[in-house]
Amino acid sequence: MRWVNRHMRRNDRMIAGAVPILALLVLYLVMAAQRHALNPGDKILPLPDAMARGLSALLFQADPLSGHFLFWTDTFASLERLGLGLALATLSALVAGLVLGVLPPVRATLGPLVTGIAVIPPIALLPVLFIALGLGETAKVALIVVGIAPPMIRDLTDYVASLPREQIIKAQTLGASSWQIMIRVALPQAMPRLIQAVRLALGPAWVFLISAEAIASDTGLGYRIFLVRRYLSMDVIIPYVAWIALLAIVMDFALAQASRRLFPWAHGASH
Amino acid sequence: MTALLTLRDVWVEFGDKIVLEKINLDVAAGSFVSIVGPSGAGKSSLLRLVLGQEAPTRGTISLDGAVLPPECGPDRGVVFQRYSVFPHLTALQNTVFGLECAQSPLLARLFGRARRAAQDEATAMLEAVGLADALHLYPAQMSGGMQQRLAIAQALLKRPRILLLDEPFGALDPGIRADMHVLIRRLWREHALTVIMVTHDIREAFSLGTRVLALDKRRHDPHAPHRYGATVVYDLPLRPREDAPPMQDGAQEEQQATPQKVAV
């Protein structure tokens, strides 16, 4: 049987998907155990108990200086920045994508500008943002927005502009104005695509968040990772990275589910 | 009968390619005009002109004596072969949309009594095209025939002066196509419609139309085939409206098309 025809059942797929992850975990444990056998004080590949100890200090013991439980303040600070950045970028992508996608003159006028901004590496703009907006929260949120909004706008614009011409014509023969076409024909159809764009933007958004926090911050997941790096505290870094991965997966899953629930017509056979 | 739609010396050119040349046409109110012709003879171009999707390079098109603006409007309804319904709306929402646009410029949504009235009107129209049981289905849940019925209902609810059909049944199975012929014939009579239909099915053109137009190139330059456009080479009046026979296949099929039991 050809490999292209080898479809797997659900249970088999779960097992197959778990194998490489488990293999990697085992590989790590074996390597960590080897290093610890040679040098019990090894910090590069900490064993799970060391990670648990490292993390529990941040989880359950208040920081003597600030009185905060650092793991949680880091998490909330990062999620607040990420959430604000994502919300602003999503909103601007929706508005700009609709206007640019539906109205050809606006697309002709602003399209090149959006493309121009989109090709600038956002990290290169970080100094500009820090100078213009200061070192506070605004600059960090702005970096996320500047980083992810332009590609989202471009994606949504292209999608809206490529809605079948027949639909736009049909709407006009039903008496719809440009505005009505935008809000009743283009907007609802753009929503599932917007959620898709947010899912794809989550990765870059985390990159920009961690970068901004690494450079100028006093709290946040990225700040903590870069801070403890000085002490080779892999026992904190690894759990933090795993925590970030978990948060990202949960967000992605929630967005995918929301799209299925809210826009069943866009997900074919599922309704 | 006076002409509802008039085309005077209409040309369509793209650069130096001439698509349609010197079209002169009068379409009487209440007629069912079928347009046939080989691929690339400008059938759909002609339809797009009347629709307002494209403007003629030269010449004038007038509806009820007034020159048409180069833009689509609710006075001309259209059903395309595909994509003429909105995938994100149910059948009922798709049909109500036209009423909402007219009555609610800002939100394009109706509420309360106006909403119920619009829904009743739309439901009646959906029943007339045989979609009484499919009010709350999304287009993706419907067969091709049901989607075309929906597109027709959507268009008719706006009471257009002309209904334009661009190969509306081209993608349907033969059996369903026959059902659709009965339906469109019945709607044409009941609503006193004026219909222009582009088709590549000659039999369909002759069995439905009161008049058949054949488009083709009159002249052909083998060295520059794009320099001559197509025009109306045959204009066959078949029968006046009142003589339009029932479907050749008899009254039996007419019965089958009653709304509630359409097998699509």
Side-chain angles (χ1 to χ4, degrees):
Chain A
M1 200 183 200
R2 290 179 186 84
W3 276 72
V4 289
N5 295 325
R6 295 192 179 196
H7 295 290
M8 298 174 75
R9 275 172 304 174
R10 195 181 156 79
N11 283 344
D12 294 346
R13 277 208 307 274
M14 303 262 268
I15 294 169
V19 166
I21 298 172
L22 291 175
L24 215 57
L25 283 176
V26 170
L27 181 71
Y28 176 86
L29 288 177
V30 169
M31 286 173 67
Q34 271 177 354
R35 288 185 72 100
H36 280 267
L38 293 172
N39 169 18
D42 179 67
K43 296 191 79 173
I44 306 300
L45 296 183
L47 285 166
D49 61 317
M51 288 193 232
R53 257 180 282 122
L55 196 61
S56 69
L58 294 168
L59 266 170
F60 305 118
Q61 292 167 26
D63 178 42
L65 207 62
S66 63
H68 293 142
F69 295 93
L70 290 179
F71 178 84
W72 297 112
T73 46
D74 285 343
T75 301
F76 286 127
S78 286
L79 285 183
E80 191 185 351
R81 290 163 189 152
L82 191 75
L84 267 175
L86 280 172
L88 286 173
T90 306
L91 194 68
S92 55
L94 182 60
V95 173
L98 272 183
V99 175
L100 287 164
V102 174
L103 307 174
V106 181
R107 184 158 67 242
T109 312
L110 297 179
L113 177 67
V114 173
T115 308
I117 294 174
V119 299
I120 301 173
I123 299 291
L125 286 178
L126 190 55
V128 178
L129 295 175
F130 278 145
I131 292 169
L133 303 171
L135 297 175
E137 295 301 294
T138 323
K140 299 184 193 67
V141 174
L143 177 69
I144 298 175
V145 175
V146 169
I148 64 173
M152 288 173 77
I153 293 175
R154 288 180 75 188
D155 180 61
L156 213 63
T157 302
D158 288 351
Y159 180 76
V160 171
S162 68
L163 286 175
R165 188 81 198 127
E166 286 88 344
Q167 270 188 36
I168 310 296
I169 300 286
K170 179 84 182 194
Q172 293 177 59
T173 66
L174 298 176
S177 63
S178 294
W179 165 250
Q180 288 172 327
I181 289 174
M182 221 186 300
I183 61 166
R184 286 298 312 274
V185 178
L187 171 65
Q189 295 193 70
M191 287 307 290
R193 182 66 172 216
L194 182 69
I195 292 188
Q196 184 71 23
V198 175
R199 288 177 65 192
L200 289 175
L202 273 178
W206 276 102
V207 172
F208 299 130
L209 173 74
I210 305 285
S211 313
E213 288 179 341
I215 293 170
S217 186
D218 51 13
T219 177
L221 297 168
Y223 163 75
R224 193 69 50 202
I225 293 175
F226 276 78
L227 182 74
V228 301
R229 175 193 63 89
R230 297 174 196 166
Y231 317 111
L232 289 183
S233 287
M234 289 289 270
D235 55 339
V236 172
I237 295 176
I238 291 174
Y240 259 60
V241 171
W243 174 236
I244 291 172
L246 184 67
L247 288 174
I249 290 170
V250 168
M251 287 182 203
D252 185 69
F253 184 76
L255 284 169
Q257 284 301 312
S259 183
R260 280 180 182 282
R261 286 276 166 78
L262 296 172
F263 314 110
W265 50 267
H267 296 272
S270 67
H271 62 92
Chain B
M1 239 184 287
T2 56
L4 174 71
L5 178 79
T6 315
L7 282 78
R8 281 287 164 268
D9 196 23
V10 167
W11 293 65
V12 173
E13 298 167 21
F14 295 111
D16 66 346
K17 179 180 161 69
I18 299 174
V19 180
L20 290 174
E21 60 178 42
K22 212 176 172 184
I23 306 264
N24 282 296
L25 199 61
D26 290 293
V27 175
S31 53
F32 194 127
V33 181
S34 305
I35 301 177
V36 295
S39 298
K43 300 188 296 285
S44 294
S45 268
L46 182 57
L47 201 80
R48 281 199 293 273
L49 283 180
V50 178
L51 181 57
Q53 190 180 345
E54 281 169 18
T57 316
R58 265 175 283 162
T60 54
I61 306 172
S62 38
L63 182 68
D64 280 330
V67 175
L68 277 179
E71 195 174 43
C72 316
D75 49 356
R76 284 149 289 158
V78 69
V79 175
F80 294 107
Q81 186 171 359
R82 292 176 64 201
Y83 303 122
S84 355
V85 294
F86 303 116
H88 60 290
L89 299 177
T90 62
L92 186 59
Q93 290 169 336
N94 256 298
T95 318
V96 170
F97 179 74
L99 299 172
E100 290 176 316
C101 283
Q103 295 172 32
S104 169
L106 197 60
L107 293 177
R109 282 182 190 280
L110 295 173
F111 302 97
R113 195 147 35 125
R115 177 187 163 88
R116 275 193 299 279
Q119 284 184 343
D120 290 345
E121 201 182 334
T123 307
M125 185 57 78
L126 286 169
E127 278 166 4
V129 298
L131 289 178
D133 299 328
L135 295 185
H136 302 292
L137 293 186
Y138 286 100
Q141 296 166 296
M142 298 180 174
S143 67
M146 290 167 82
Q147 291 189 23
Q148 291 307 74
R149 282 169 195 270
L150 174 57
I152 292 170
Q154 230 181 350
L156 287 190
L157 202 63
K158 294 295 284 184
R159 316 226 169 281
R161 302 285 289 129
I162 303 188
L163 181 63
L164 304 168
L165 309 173
D166 193 356
E167 305 203 3
F169 315 127
L172 304 180
D173 298 337
I176 290 163
R177 198 182 296 191
D179 289 343
M180 296 298 289
H181 289 167
V182 175
L183 173 76
I184 197 74
R185 162 73 53 83
R186 182 166 55 78
L187 292 171
W188 172 65
R189 289 169 163 220
E190 287 175 3
H191 294 258
L193 298 173
T194 309
V195 178
I196 300 180
M197 176 178 73
V198 164
T199 178
H200 52 224
D201 180 343
I202 304 257
R203 218 181 128 220
E204 177 177 276
F206 278 87
S207 68
L208 287 177
T210 58
R211 178 180 178 190
V212 174
L213 299 178
L215 292 191
D216 205 351
K217 296 186 178 190
R218 268 191 206 287
R219 294 163 294 179
H220 189 79
D221 181 343
H223 300 294
H226 58 282
R227 289 301 291 159
Y228 288 118
T231 190
V232 179
V233 289
Y234 292 106
D235 184 349
L236 309 170
L238 297 181
R239 51 183 96 90
R241 181 186 177 89
E242 46 275 14
D243 294 355
M247 291 301 292
Q248 284 89 332
D249 312 305
Q252 215 174 348
E253 234 175 358
E254 200 84 57
Q255 288 287 317
Q256 279 177 1
T258 45
Q260 280 73 20
K261 46 172 190 176
V262 179
V264 273

